[in-house]
Amino acid sequence: MSASTFTPRVFSGIKPSGGLTLGNYLGAIKRWVDMQSPDMETIYCAVDLHAITVWQDPKGLKGGTREIAAGLLAAGIDPEHSILFNQSQVKEHTELAWIFNCVARVGWMNRMTQFKDKAGKNAEKASLGLYAYPSLMAADILIYHATHVPVGEDQKQHVELTRDIANKFNNDFGVDFFPVTEPVIEGPGTRVMNLRDGTKKMSKSGESDMERINMLDDADTIAKKFKKAKTDPDGIPMDLDGLAGRPEAKNLVDIYSGLSDMTPAEVVAEYAGAGWGTFKPALADLAVAKLAPISDEMKRLMDDPAEIDRKLAQGADKARAIATPILEKTYDIVGLLRG
Ligand code: ATP
Ligand code: MG
């Protein structure tokens, strides 16, 4: 069944696997805030069960989960409008994930490029959870019958797998139960690249802090990181075609575009012919102007962890109210006996 026959509902998540980055902000959070509207139910989640697919220090994990929540609230996610919670408080996600483990095929999982990237050369030593991650992600989405998933470009393959799982479940059981969810990957910030290597994406779990802008970085750190960002000797070209084959230059223009809400063509037109000595400080000033109010609010919220926990628990109650009947119906379709 296509997503269009279901009530529109948005779901997306972020892992507490490190501090939030500018990539998370432009590729996900900013777009999640913009999608909040009276016509669309929006559900946003700190996906802590995904974080533990690689080792997380238990003391740090709770703090990291609160930091994600603070970042989302500070950026403009409104808990009166959106449902905001952490994944492990709603057990239905993992219960549906088990059903999906029995629907998804090993061959499908073997094609997932994120597993290959994250497991690296030592795939034999990767956790089984890291391998099964996309099946849990499908459950995160489909336990709410979500129709739209705003994500960065790197998650496209996992949303496509979610569609495959929904289709196979519906076919196997002869039902029209799960929607075939649409990925929403739009705008210039859907693939923010690593500042030291324009062929790799910016990641919160990346090795070096210099390769990313963290949402909690102060103004000096942001200016220093952009100043040291890898570029080439040619500055801003006269038109967009001049960015072809120049991933680092394109990335800085895209970041400016994402932060300013100008199109990349407008950014290039404004700075046509400028050197990096002009463009990089302008970009740093823009990033500070946009991020500082959010990071100040994040720090204020993180000073009151009990209040964050209370908001997440309330969000989890609302999420469970949607998820429980969908899981019960799924169990019934599969033929699992209930007393
Ligand atoms: P990790 O390194 O632990 O995988 P991450 O920075 O990739 O962390 P995730 O929690 O995996 O962050 O992803 C959360 C959301 O942010 C997803 O929608 C993802 O597509 C988006 N995202 C992550 N990195 C980028 C990026 N560099 N550019 C745009 N979007 C991104
Ligand atoms: Mg990631």
Side-chain angles (χ1 to χ4, degrees), residues 190-203:
T190 53
R191 190 165 180 81
V192 176
M193 305 311 282
N194 176 321
L195 298 179
R196 307 314 292 270
D197 177 352
T199 65
K200 290 192 191 144
K201 85 166 189 78
M202 184 183 287
S203 289

Side-chain angles (χ1 to χ4, degrees), residues 115-126:
F115 176 76
K116 290 177 195 158
D117 292 346
K118 287 198 185 282
K121 292 197 187 79
N122 221 348
E124 293 281 311
K125 295 240 163 82

Side-chain angles (χ1 to χ4, degrees), residues 191-320:
R191 190 165 180 81
V192 176
M193 305 311 282
N194 176 321
L195 298 179
R196 307 314 292 270
D197 177 352
T199 65
K200 290 192 191 144
K201 85 166 189 78
M202 184 183 287
S203 289
K204 54 179 130 62
S205 66
E207 262 163 45
S208 155
D209 197 55
M210 290 302 287
E211 67 188 45
R212 61 180 164 262
I213 304 288
N214 303 303
M215 286 181 67
L216 288 175
D217 282 344
D218 61 25
D220 288 349
T221 308
I222 291 176
K224 188 175 81 189
K225 286 179 175 176
F226 278 127
K227 190 167 174 214
K228 297 212 170 210
K230 186 176 166 202
T231 38
D232 52 33
D234 307 334
I236 302 294
M238 301 312 286
D239 57 36
L240 268 190
D241 293 345
L243 291 174
R246 300 172 61 200
E248 286 86 7
K250 180 177 182 307
N251 188 38
L252 296 187
V253 168
D254 282 346
I255 292 174
Y256 196 106
S257 166
L259 285 168
S260 65
D261 290 324
M262 290 160 71
T263 64
E266 286 166 348
V267 176
V268 168
E270 176 143 345
Y271 288 93
W276 296 116
T278 304
F279 187 75
K280 283 178 166 180
L283 176 57
D285 287 348
L286 174 64
V288 171
K290 294 287 172 178
L291 294 182
I294 302 176
S295 61
D296 288 349
E297 176 64 3
M298 260 176 97
K299 286 180 207 145
R300 193 188 68 75
L301 291 166
M302 287 191 309
D303 277 344
D304 189 355
E307 176 60 13
I308 295 180
D309 295 0
R310 201 181 60 80
K311 286 202 167 81
L312 291 175
Q314 281 176 346
D317 288 344
K318 292 190 209 162
R320 224 175 282 117

Side-chain angles (χ1 to χ4, degrees), residues 15 114 118 133 154-155 201:
K15 270 180 294 178
Q114 179 177 286
K118 287 198 185 282
Y133 177 126
D154 62 300
Q155 291 298 327
K201 85 166 189 78

